[in-house]
Amino acid sequence: MPGPEPLVLLPGLACDARLWAPQIAALSGLRAIQVGQIAGADRIEALADAVLADAPPRFALAGLSMGGIVAMHVLDRAPERVTRVALLATDPLPDHPRLAPLRASHIARAEGGALEEVLAEAMQPEFLHDGPRRAAARAGGRALGPGPGRAGV
């Protein structure tokens, strides 16, 4: 009898496989784990196509934030290949029009070399539980962003 289906994990914007390190450590003995790439395209649909091109024929899927948006497009494109899905901290709706100027500003600043500042601003302190590991979690989140030897967006 075959084992459980492989699991494809999709990280959030400016993140990579390190985001899923605890889950990979906990689950890799139970099933094949693959982390999809959600960088290198300018449209969500293209990212979903790339995930499908690299994914096994049938798989479970989990996506966080932008990875969840990509996961929804994967599911829309090939529902017969996805056996189950987990969507974490994501939204199926497009940005509200009032957010467009802020998004444009972030893009312009990132393209101008201030990507790390934009990412630091995006990780608002109120997003993290006010506990003893808050500072470490925030530092870990900043470390996931692009930089020398790290994944880009």
Side-chain angles (χ1 to χ4, degrees):
M1 184 170 161
E5 72 272 38
L7 173 60
V8 175
L9 301 169
L10 302 179
L13 178 68
C15 296
D16 58 24
R18 293 170 294 171
L19 175 78
W20 297 105
Q23 292 77 19
I24 292 168
L27 299 173
S28 61
L30 304 173
R31 65 180 66 236
I33 305 286
Q34 179 178 326
V35 179
Q37 298 298 314
I38 63 157
D42 62 355
R43 305 226 4 111
I44 295 292
E45 297 83 1
L47 295 173
D49 290 340
V51 167
L52 284 166
D54 291 338
R58 288 185 50 82
F59 57 94
L61 180 63
L64 172 76
S65 191
M66 188 170 122
I69 295 169
V70 174
M72 287 183 263
H73 283 269
V74 166
L75 190 57
D76 186 53
R77 284 172 150 53
E80 72 285 354
R81 292 182 59 190
V82 180
T83 60
R84 59 189 88 202
V85 64
L87 302 173
L88 308 156
T90 194
D91 190 339
L93 303 174
D95 281 344
H96 190 281
R98 69 176 153 67
L99 294 177
L102 178 62
R103 179 82 63 201
S105 169
H106 285 167
I107 291 168
R109 288 176 54 214
E111 288 174 342
L115 179 58
E116 290 194 35
E117 290 174 22
V118 171
L119 294 174
E121 291 168 13
M123 185 182 274
Q124 299 295 321
E126 62 269 14
F127 291 171
L128 302 172
H129 173 69
D130 189 14
R133 293 181 280 180
R134 184 180 194 174
R138 188 161 182 174
R142 283 193 305 269
L144 289 174
R150 293 183 273 170
V153 290

